[in-house]
Amino acid sequence: SSKIRNVEVQSADGVAVLEDCIGISLTKTISKVEEKLKKGVLPDCEGDDIIPRAGNEMGAEAQIRFLKAKLRVTQEDLANVVFECRKKDDENQKLETRLKDTEEENTRLQRTISMQQSQTEKYKMLSQEAKKKSEGLQQEVTALEKVLQ
């Protein structure tokens, strides 16, 4: 299972940017897009619905503000997802620990059951031997009583 680790929050011109340990930088990506927008070279994004149709009438600065706001919302969603993933990972760790403890307890109880079953068998055999011995002694007593009469 892959985990997102070492998430840091950085600020780029008032925009919170998440940067993970792989080194993917949203700050750099934003800067490149801003440079293209300033030069007047808009990215070819007609079918992606990032900027609504009314956005085509917006100026470059308004589009940048819109994209930064959309980025903030996306980053908040990402932060929430990362938080939930970490929470689930913690819960999974606790459950794995509990499962391991339960399995160890189960193994211990199985050994105890096995030991007790072998002791039960041993005592049954001793009981049968004692019963046979008792019957033999009872027959001897009966035979001796007959001899005495």
Side-chain angles (χ1 to χ4, degrees), residues 1-148:
S1 66
S2 64
K3 295 180 182 176
I4 299 174
R5 294 188 183 111
N6 300 329
V7 175
E8 298 174 2
V9 177
Q10 295 182 347
S11 177
D13 297 331
V15 177
V17 178
L18 286 174
E19 194 172 290
D20 66 17
C21 62
I22 298 172
I24 298 172
S25 173
L26 292 176
T27 307
K28 292 176 186 175
T29 306
I30 291 170
S31 298
K32 288 177 185 177
V33 171
E34 285 177 341
E35 286 175 25
K36 287 180 183 179
L37 287 173
K38 286 178 184 175
K39 291 179 184 177
V41 180
L42 295 175
D44 186 24
C45 305
E46 290 184 21
D48 63 5
D49 288 340
I50 292 176
I51 299 177
R53 293 181 195 261
N56 294 331
E57 298 169 8
M58 286 189 236
E61 290 297 318
Q63 286 182 353
I64 290 172
R65 284 194 307 273
F66 175 80
L67 290 173
K68 284 183 178 181
K70 193 157 183 91
L71 176 63
R72 272 188 226 105
V73 170
T74 303
Q75 288 173 335
E76 287 173 7
D77 291 344
L78 175 62
N80 288 335
V81 168
V82 168
F83 175 77
E84 289 298 318
C85 284
R86 286 186 177 153
K87 196 168 139 181
K88 294 292 181 186
D89 284 342
D90 291 344
E91 188 177 330
N92 282 343
Q93 284 291 351
K94 288 176 186 173
L95 289 173
E96 285 175 4
T97 301
R98 217 168 113 195
L99 176 63
K100 183 180 175 186
D101 293 344
T102 303
E103 287 174 343
E104 289 173 357
E105 178 73 7
N106 187 30
T107 303
R108 186 185 64 76
L109 290 173
Q110 288 294 336
R111 275 187 263 130
T112 302
I113 288 170
S114 176
M115 229 170 43
Q116 289 175 344
Q117 284 176 340
S118 66
Q119 287 179 345
T120 301
E121 291 299 317
K122 176 183 168 185
Y123 289 128
K124 278 184 186 177
M125 299 232 341
L126 287 173
S127 172
Q128 287 174 353
E129 288 176 13
K131 187 176 181 180
K132 285 180 185 177
K133 189 174 181 180
S134 172
E135 288 173 358
L137 290 173
Q138 190 64 36
Q139 287 175 356
E140 248 184 81
V141 167
T142 306
L144 287 173
E145 285 177 348
K146 285 183 184 178
V147 170
L148 288 175

